[in-house]
């Protein structure tokens, strides 16, 4: 009867607009939070987005309004050698650096070494990975993928290791370079056996072997300090493993056998009757019945450089050795990396590589070798993926907790691979100076056993920060 609506029941247009606005604000906050914590990675990138999808940190903006230079852009400026020397003169006198301090600063525009100091070669620690990664990008196709496969000979299956450094038992999207897994390979193998059975060629039960013939030599480097493998510091190097040979925090002494045992369990879950124990075997010369494609060389380089992954670096060095016709062992990897870099124009005088990771104290690298490797990546874009993976001071990787603060500390302006062993500390990468010009830099010390490691590290960071504050370009 009463057709008039009560005023109390009406919603005013103003309140409606305000309510919608509040909902949009809350939704925006939730999306931003999910983005920042990586919860949207699976939607945006199909998993972990990886280094190439990470925006430059806010600290890269300079107080003087000059943006930090993109290292992939063409370089035309030249560097003032006197300004570089003046900037480093104070920091290099720090007692915390010890008596053996090696430095090289290279102008990427000209390829000229504008400053050098100290011994001809030093122990490099993990800055060795700069050379291994660069050689991998040059000698191998950056888009080449590491393949793990299964071969069949009657009722015998062989799991063939293809040297995928980031092969896992099952995908959980937690690792940028973890692109292949044994769970998927087991599913594909079971499907292939079922297809064979439908054609009257399927075995009722199978045995399982594993093939590690891609690599040669021992998995434990005799030049490493005793206890690296037995002390769970590094996994024996093999062309087949899952999760770098680590299960529940424990490294396997036989990572290939452990991977094969895992694969046998996964096959049984797929209904395949696997009999007996897994055995070391050689794959038959037949087409594989199932494969999984792992990370690309480019992705592996980015991951191992950012996280300083020792095992992945050693695997990559062996792939470089194979590409150069060398034995796929520690010695062959070192020889091949040196050959590739020399052919690319990197000076290699005095270079001695006993491994690809830098764990060996027998390694010797000249600072200029490291600096020139970085300079070539900047000037000729020979290996930009290596530069993109270098940790950023104050923001990522092994430099995340260093150079905290503004640009004066080097935060956001230093991108470098770190190296650390007892008494050994190093940085190799590039610094963006006060004019936005990149300087390829290697800072190395290898005689600081009696000095606090934190003090030495801070002194190296101070030298890098001095270059970032220098109007050198």
């Amino acid at each position: 009867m009463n057709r008039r609506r009560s005023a109390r029941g009406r919603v005013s247009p103003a309140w409606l607009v305000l309510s919608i606005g509040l909902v949009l604000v809350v939704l925006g906050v939730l999306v931003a939070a999910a983005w920042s914590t990586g919860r949207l990675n699976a939607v945006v990138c199909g998993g972990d987005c990886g280094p190439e999808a990470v925006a430059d940190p806010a600290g890269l903006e300079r107080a003087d309004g000059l943006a930090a230079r993109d290292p992939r852009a063409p370089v035309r400026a030249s560097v003032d050698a006197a300004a570089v020397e003046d900037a480093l003169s104070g920091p290099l006198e720090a007692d915390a650096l010890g008596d053996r301090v090696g430095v090289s600063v290279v102008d990427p525009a000209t390829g000229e070494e504008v400053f050098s100091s100290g011994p001809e070669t030093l122990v490099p620690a993990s800055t060795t990975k700069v050379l291994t990664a660069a050689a991998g990008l040059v000698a191998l196709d950056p888009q080449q993928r590491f393949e793990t496969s299964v071969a069949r000979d009657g009722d015998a299956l062989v799991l063939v290791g293809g040297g995928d450094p980031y092969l896992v038992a099952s995908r959980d999207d937690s690792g940028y370079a973890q692109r292949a897994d044994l769970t998927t390979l087991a599913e594909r193998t079971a499907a292939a056996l079922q297809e064979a059975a439908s054609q009257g060629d399927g075995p009722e039960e199978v045995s399982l072997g594993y093939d590690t013939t891609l690599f040669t030599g021992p998995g434990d480097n005799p030049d490493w300090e005793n206890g690296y493998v037995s002390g769970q510091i590094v996994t024996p190097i093999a062309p087949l493993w899952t999760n770098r040979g680590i299960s529940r925090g424990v490294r396997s002494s036989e990572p290939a056998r452990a991977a094969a045992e895992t694969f046998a369990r996964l096959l049984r879950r797929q209904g395949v009757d696997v009999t007996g124990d897994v055995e070391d075997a050689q794959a038959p010369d037949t087409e594989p019945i199932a494969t999984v494609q792992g990370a690309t060389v480019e992705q592996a380089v980015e991951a191992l450089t950012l996280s300083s992954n020792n095992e992945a670096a050693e695997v990559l060095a062996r792939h470089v050795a194979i590409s150069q016709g060398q034995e796929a062992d520690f010695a062959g990897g070192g020889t091949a990396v040196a050959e590739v870099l020399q052919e690319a124009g990197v000076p290699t005088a005095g270079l001695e590589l006993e491994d690809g990771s830098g764990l060996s104290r027998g390694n010797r690298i000249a600072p200029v070798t490291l600096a020139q490797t970085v300079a070539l990546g900047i000037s000729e874009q020979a290996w930009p993926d290596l530069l993109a993976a270098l940790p950023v001071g104050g923001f990522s990787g092994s430099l995340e907790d260093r150079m905290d603060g503004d640009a004066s500390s080097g935060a956001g302006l230093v991108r470098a691979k770190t190296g650390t062993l007892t008494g050994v500390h190093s940085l190799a990468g590039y610094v963006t100076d006060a004019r936005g010009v990149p300087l390829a830099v290697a800072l190395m010390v290898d005689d600081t056993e009696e000095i606090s490691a934190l003090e030495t590290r801070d002194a190296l960071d101070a030298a890098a920060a001095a270059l970032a504050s220098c109007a050198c370009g």
Side-chain angles (χ1 to χ4, degrees), residues 399-468:
L399 288 180
E400 181 177 1
D401 298 324
R402 295 169 63 167
M403 305 176 190
D404 293 335
D406 57 21
S408 65
S409 70
L413 303 175
V414 177
R415 298 194 71 152
K417 180 71 194 75
T418 60
T420 305
L421 293 170
T422 302
V424 177
H425 300 271
S426 52
L427 287 172
Y430 67 93
V431 177
T432 305
D433 83 343
R435 297 184 187 275
V437 175
L439 308 172
V441 179
L443 300 164
M444 309 171 70
V445 298
D446 66 1
D447 187 22
T448 61
E449 287 87 349
E450 305 302 322
I451 303 173
S452 163
L454 291 178
E455 290 181 9
T456 300
R457 189 190 74 176
D458 289 346
L460 279 181
D461 292 352
L467 289 174

Side-chain angles (χ1 to χ4, degrees), residues 64-86:
D64 55 15
L66 292 172
R69 182 187 172 280
D70 181 353
R72 304 185 191 208
V75 179
R76 292 185 176 84
S78 59
V79 174
D80 184 344
V84 171
E85 182 175 4
D86 184 60

Side-chain angles (χ1 to χ4, degrees), residues 40-402:
L40 294 181
N41 286 1
V43 175
V44 177
C45 304
D48 184 33
C49 288
E52 79 282 2
V54 179
D56 287 335
L60 287 174
E61 290 92 10
R62 303 190 59 97
D64 55 15
L66 292 172
R69 182 187 172 280
D70 181 353
R72 304 185 191 208
V75 179
R76 292 185 176 84
S78 59
V79 174
D80 184 344
V84 171
E85 182 175 4
D86 184 60
L88 290 175
S89 60
L92 294 184
E93 294 299 320
D95 292 338
L97 296 177
D99 296 327
R100 284 176 52 84
V101 185
V103 182
S104 177
V105 180
V106 173
D107 177 359
T110 63
E112 177 188 0
E113 185 181 35
V114 296
F115 180 84
S116 65
S117 177
E120 292 183 356
T121 62
L122 296 93
V123 180
S126 278
T127 52
T128 302
K129 294 183 179 73
V130 171
L131 305 188
T132 302
L137 290 170
V138 173
L140 309 172
D141 178 357
Q143 299 308 311
Q144 170 189 328
R145 292 186 178 275
F146 302 106
E147 181 177 281
T148 306
S149 61
V150 175
R152 179 191 169 199
D153 184 8
D155 61 357
L157 300 181
V158 179
L159 176 63
V160 184
D164 182 351
Y166 291 103
L167 179 70
V168 292
S170 60
R171 286 285 302 277
D172 60 6
D173 293 325
S174 64
Y176 167 62
Q178 294 176 359
R179 304 297 172 114
D181 64 278
L182 290 186
T183 299
T184 299
L185 186 60
E187 293 171 353
R188 293 175 180 176
T189 301
L193 291 174
Q194 290 172 0
E195 175 65 20
S198 70
Q199 299 177 10
D201 186 34
E204 294 184 0
E205 58 184 33
V206 297
S207 62
L208 179 64
Y210 58 96
D211 186 330
T212 61
T213 56
L214 182 65
F215 295 169
T216 58
D220 185 353
N221 192 333
D223 200 60
W224 286 345
E225 290 190 5
N226 291 333
Y228 273 4
V229 169
S230 62
Q232 295 282 303
I233 294 173
V234 64
T235 302
I237 307 306
L240 174 65
W241 57 33
T242 58
N243 306 86
R244 301 187 351 262
I246 304 172
S247 177
R248 299 179 181 178
V250 178
R251 297 178 185 274
S252 173
S253 60
E254 295 184 275
R257 176 179 291 277
E261 290 171 346
T262 297
F263 188 60
R265 290 194 297 271
L266 293 170
L267 284 174
R268 293 184 182 108
R269 290 180 188 175
Q270 295 297 319
V272 179
D273 187 2
V274 182
T275 63
D277 296 329
V278 298
E279 299 290 344
D280 191 358
Q282 186 165 348
D285 187 18
T286 58
E287 287 294 317
I289 64 170
T291 64
V292 285
Q293 300 285 328
T296 64
V297 170
E298 173 184 281
Q299 290 164 343
V301 163
E302 290 179 353
L304 78 86
T305 305
L306 187 64
S307 65
S308 198
N309 188 306
N310 292 316
E311 290 91 355
E314 297 299 349
V315 169
L316 183 63
R318 280 164 168 73
H319 282 289
V320 175
I322 293 169
S323 75
Q324 300 301 298
Q326 299 286 343
E327 286 292 321
D329 57 12
F330 289 105
T335 299
V337 167
E339 288 178 352
V340 170
L341 293 177
Q342 186 174 31
E343 291 174 3
V346 174
T348 57
L351 181 61
E352 298 179 25
L353 295 176
E354 303 294 340
D355 65 18
S357 63
L359 286 174
S360 172
R361 288 180 175 272
N363 291 341
R364 294 292 184 273
I365 300 179
V368 69
T369 299
L370 289 169
Q372 285 283 15
T373 299
V374 174
L376 276 174
I378 296 173
S379 62
E380 299 181 4
Q381 302 182 35
W383 35 78
D385 300 294
L386 170 62
L387 303 179
L390 291 173
V392 181
F395 290 95
S396 65
S398 52
L399 288 180
E400 181 177 1
D401 298 324
R402 295 169 63 167

